[in-house]
Amino acid sequence: MHDRSVQIHLGAGAIIVAAFLVLFAIPTWVSSPSNVPNIILSPLFWPWALAGLTAITGLGMILTSIRAPLSTQPETSDVEDRTKAWARLAGIAVVMMVSMLAMPRIGMVWTSMLVFAITALLVRTSHPRTALVSAFLVPLVLYAFFAHVAGVAVPQGDFVRLP
């Protein structure tokens, strides 16, 4: 399978997932009180936003793959690369399990920082400094917004509590 067809398949999959979210999952499993004063604080807002962004991403993948030239180079499959890919996938699964165990103990903000940094290093990002700075700043900015502007309680840990 060429890169172009993989891109089209991934884009179509993203659109199907977005359609499933919009048509079935969100209406079935997400409920919201009718008197929410701010749309951003509604439990429906972020699932709808994520579904919309997923659909836009899928559409973008399909459109960019259609415009891309068809590759004539044959595929190469390196067993070592597959082994490393499976190892990274297993590493991500471990990170997810550990994050679920760590969140009640050290809190959502600190857990998010660690998970972001470990994931960036695990996928071998080409911008490690930017990823580490983002791993520190993004959770802090989100905490500041939700805790101090939106007035939403962010889960804190047992050891360190943010103001």
Side-chain angles (χ1 to χ4, degrees):
M1 198 179 291
H2 294 286
D3 288 341
R4 184 176 178 179
S5 62
V6 169
Q7 194 92 345
I8 291 172
H9 285 96
L10 287 173
I15 291 172
I16 290 168
V17 167
F20 170 75
L21 289 173
V22 168
L23 298 174
F24 182 72
I26 295 172
T28 302
W29 293 311
V30 181
S31 61
S32 177
S34 60
N35 61 350
V36 177
N38 191 345
I39 186 72
I40 293 177
L41 299 178
S42 170
L44 292 172
F45 178 76
W46 291 110
W48 279 98
L50 289 174
L53 290 173
T54 302
I56 290 170
T57 301
L59 187 62
M61 290 177 76
I62 290 174
L63 292 176
T64 56
S65 65
I66 289 172
R67 294 181 57 191
L70 186 59
S71 171
T72 58
Q73 296 176 348
E75 279 190 34
T76 59
S77 176
D78 189 11
V79 175
E80 186 176 317
D81 286 343
R82 282 191 177 177
T83 305
K84 289 179 182 177
W86 282 106
R88 284 193 301 272
L89 183 64
I92 289 291
V94 170
V95 167
M96 284 191 260
M97 288 186 283
V98 169
S99 69
M100 294 309 294
L101 296 172
M103 199 167 301
R105 290 165 183 77
I106 64 173
M108 185 178 279
V109 177
W110 301 105
T111 303
S112 299
M113 287 180 190
L114 292 172
V115 167
F116 193 128
I118 292 169
T119 302
L121 297 175
L122 191 62
V123 299
R124 294 180 289 165
T125 179
S126 57
H127 304 286
R129 282 189 227 127
T130 305
L132 292 176
V133 169
S134 297
F136 180 74
L137 289 179
V138 170
L140 280 180
V141 169
L142 287 173
Y143 168 77
F145 171 77
F146 282 105
H148 298 292
V149 176
V152 176
V154 177
Q156 297 283 328
D158 296 331
F159 305 113
V160 179
R161 302 194 70 63
L162 295 171

